[in-house]
Amino acid sequence: MSPAARLRGLRPDWFADPRVWRTEVLAGLVVALALIPEAISFSIIAGVDPAMGLFASFTMAVVISVVGGRRAMISAATGAVALVIAPLNREHGLGYLIAAVILAGVFQVVLGALGVAKLLRFIPRSVMVGFVNSLAILVFMAQVPELHDVPWPVYPLLAGGLALMVFFPRITTAIPAPLVSIAILTVITVAAGIAVPTVGDKGELPSSLPVPGLPDVPFTMDTLTTIAPYAFGMALVGLMESLMTARLVDDITDTHSNKTRESIGQGIANIVTGFFGGMGGCAMIGQTMINVKVSGARTRLSTFLAGAFLMVLCIVCGPIVSDIPMAALVAVMVMVSFATFDWHSIAPRTLRRMPAGEIAVMVITVGCVVATHNLAVGVVVGSVTAMVVFAKRVARLADVTSVTDPEGRTVVYAVTGELFFASSNDLVGRFDYAADADHVVIDLSAAHIWDASSVAALDAIQAKYAQRGKTVEITGLNDLSADLHARLSGELASH
């Protein structure tokens, strides 16, 4: 292969296609505009200066665009991370918060290298649907305060913004409808002198780039023990939200992403963010949906430009950006929430066909997220609920039937199904110890032993027959079941 051909192979997929370039650039601009008020709001939640949220969004997006495993996904300052670290900042100060962000990044790199992303396969579809729906609800709920106790022109501006985003794509999709909506509403409010809440009302925008430095904390064991619990909580919440968002983008784009690389990349991005004085972050589902689903972005360029444009807009175009009415950005986020929600999942036809257990898991996931405003809590509770529902369902499949030979000397019990802690608990009571013949055969040809609880149950059955002078023969074990039974049988009795 010639050097020129190798060089062409190294070029990113957007390099030679002007249409892709245009889509990615405009998508990055739209995301950057939407990031500004969100980053400022999350800074307020964390109790830090708005510049820290904006710096975090800048560094997270730029770094993750290079080291992340999911193309086109947006990472920035988030509310979930802000909620975790806010108590640390309140009780110990800003220096400890920055140190915790750096340590959280280290934890994420370690967890990523250990393969924590593989745990994603244990999250069932019903939890994923609940995650998506609860996220859409949270995005919508976050806009409600912006519509409360505001001047009346906010409402027609909101309606106009929604109308533009619905109908403008019918004219052309060359320019993202959210960008058109933001531009038109800004021109209208400025030209007409309409007094409505603007981006500038959220806080002062930074006037210079962040400067790297070390956190202002004593480098002692006391500092480490103080920040470690917060850092670990932030690492887990950030990884869970990022991996769930990456999986959602995989489904939307019908492409695969490297979740291990994404986990490590999130850690690297947080470490860099901490050294630049940012408040840390993770993947942002709302901004990612703007980028991927609304604007049609598919490459790393849009993610990089979202961060780059964010700083350019703050530093170079601060006065103009400050005049953007919040109604325009609220309209964008409302459209995102409606586009994100899985309406098919609550359609009557779907609910009639869906097993009751899976509906319950979805509802519980949504309820926990909405109640706690923490996506990680909802995913964990939903997954545990799904496991309980699955265990109960599988436990019912285990059955025992008996056949006695004509001479009455032997009784054969045929056990079918999966034997584990939920099903084996009832197994002991399925045998007639007093009336059975002297020789009992337990046929496990149609069963599988999964855990120590099942081996202990079989030992208990044998012991009960032995107390009556009867012998038990266990047959039909497959290789895995036989190996587990051989290792544990007779070793589980309490002393």
Side-chain angles (χ1 to χ4, degrees):
M1 183 182 293
S2 67
R6 284 197 297 270
L7 181 61
R8 285 194 299 270
L10 293 174
R11 289 175 178 175
D13 48 10
W14 48 265
F15 189 86
D17 192 337
R19 291 174 300 176
V20 174
W21 173 276
R22 182 184 61 211
T23 298
E24 300 297 310
V25 171
L26 293 176
L29 180 57
V30 173
V31 171
L33 288 169
L35 273 174
I36 293 173
E38 296 256 323
I40 295 174
S41 298
F42 297 145
S43 300
I44 295 171
I45 293 173
V48 300
D49 187 89
M52 289 191 64
L54 293 166
F55 288 158
S57 296
F58 162 61
T59 53
M60 288 291 298
V62 169
V63 174
I64 206 67
S65 69
V66 178
V67 300
R70 173 64 260 178
R71 294 183 299 172
M73 190 168 76
I74 304 297
S75 291
T78 60
V81 168
L83 289 170
V84 173
I85 60 177
L88 178 63
N89 179 56
R90 187 168 54 248
E91 296 171 14
H92 299 279
L94 184 59
Y96 283 81
L97 184 150
I98 299 298
V101 170
I102 297 172
L103 183 59
V106 174
F107 282 146
Q108 288 178 327
V109 171
V110 173
L111 290 171
L114 292 175
V116 69
K118 296 177 182 178
L119 297 176
L120 195 65
R121 69 178 184 268
F122 293 107
I123 299 177
R125 182 185 177 278
S126 52
V127 174
M128 189 67 187
V129 172
F131 168 83
V132 171
N133 289 347
S134 59
L135 190 58
I137 294 171
L138 286 185
V139 170
F140 182 83
M141 289 174 61
Q143 312 314 310
V144 174
E146 304 296 339
L147 303 175
H148 177 67
D149 195 22
V150 293
W152 69 265
V154 167
Y155 303 108
L157 286 172
L158 174 65
L162 292 172
L164 281 169
M165 283 183 285
V166 170
F167 295 108
F168 186 79
R170 300 183 183 182
I171 301 173
T172 179
T173 56
I175 304 176
L179 182 58
V180 174
S181 175
I182 292 170
I184 290 178
L185 293 187
T186 303
V187 170
I188 291 174
T189 54
V190 173
I194 302 173
V196 292
T198 64
V199 171
D201 296 330
K202 286 288 183 181
E204 185 178 354
L205 302 181
S207 57
S208 62
L209 289 171
V211 178
L214 294 174
D216 184 18
V217 294
F219 292 89
T220 63
M221 187 59 65
D222 287 341
T223 300
L224 180 62
T225 55
T226 299
I227 67 174
Y230 296 96
F232 192 66
M234 174 184 164
L236 292 179
V237 169
L239 281 181
M240 188 172 295
E241 291 208 26
S242 298
L243 293 175
M244 292 289 284
T245 303
R247 178 172 166 180
L248 178 60
V249 177
D250 288 354
D251 293 340
I252 293 173
T253 61
D254 197 24
T255 57
H256 175 72
S257 62
N258 188 330
K259 305 300 188 302
T260 296
R261 177 178 173 179
E262 182 62 38
S263 302
I264 297 173
Q266 288 290 329
I268 295 172
N270 272 306
I271 292 172
V272 173
T273 295
F275 282 120
F276 275 91
M279 57 177 277
C282 62
M284 291 190 75
I285 183 69
Q287 311 305 330
T288 298
M289 290 300 100
I290 293 176
N291 198 45
V292 174
K293 202 165 186 177
V294 178
S295 301
R298 292 292 184 271
T299 76
R300 298 179 184 274
L301 178 62
S302 58
T303 306
F304 175 84
L305 289 178
F309 280 148
L310 175 64
M311 280 293 100
V312 171
L313 289 169
C314 290
I315 296 171
V316 179
C317 308
I320 298 174
V321 173
S322 296
D323 287 334
I324 296 175
M326 284 301 300
L329 298 177
V330 169
V332 172
M333 299 310 293
V334 168
M335 284 297 295
V336 168
S337 67
F338 274 86
T340 303
F341 197 91
D342 186 352
W343 296 101
H344 176 73
S345 67
I346 62 170
R349 183 179 179 183
T350 304
L351 295 176
R352 284 195 298 268
R353 296 183 176 185
M354 192 73 66
E358 295 199 25
I359 296 175
V361 169
M362 181 180 69
V363 171
I364 289 172
T365 302
V366 172
C368 288
V369 172
V370 173
T372 63
H373 284 227
N374 191 323
L375 291 165
V377 171
V379 171
V380 171
V381 174
S383 298
V384 171
T385 304
M387 292 176 187
V388 173
V389 171
F390 174 77
K392 290 185 66 176
R393 187 181 301 165
V394 174
R396 294 195 190 102
L397 300 178
D399 194 22
V400 179
T401 56
S402 63
V403 177
T404 305
D405 72 340
E407 299 181 3
R409 297 177 181 175
T410 303
V411 58
V412 178
Y413 283 92
V415 181
T416 59
E418 309 301 318
L419 300 183
F420 63 112
F421 62 89
S423 58
S424 60
N425 286 335
D426 297 329
L427 190 64
V428 179
R430 303 292 297 275
F431 295 81
D432 191 350
Y433 303 99
D436 280 343
D438 291 339
H439 183 61
V440 177
V441 176
I442 301 177
D443 182 8
L444 297 176
S445 301
H448 185 91
I449 298 175
W450 287 103
D451 59 7
S453 297
S454 302
V455 176
L458 292 173
D459 284 352
I461 292 169
Q462 289 180 297
K464 286 180 177 291
Y465 277 115
Q467 290 173 359
R468 294 167 172 79
K470 302 176 182 181
T471 59
V472 175
E473 179 185 359
I474 297 177
T475 64
L477 288 171
N478 57 43
D479 292 341
L480 293 176
S481 298
D483 179 66
L484 184 64
H485 185 265
R487 284 190 288 115
L488 297 181
S489 182
E491 303 294 330
L492 301 173
S494 59
H495 298 285

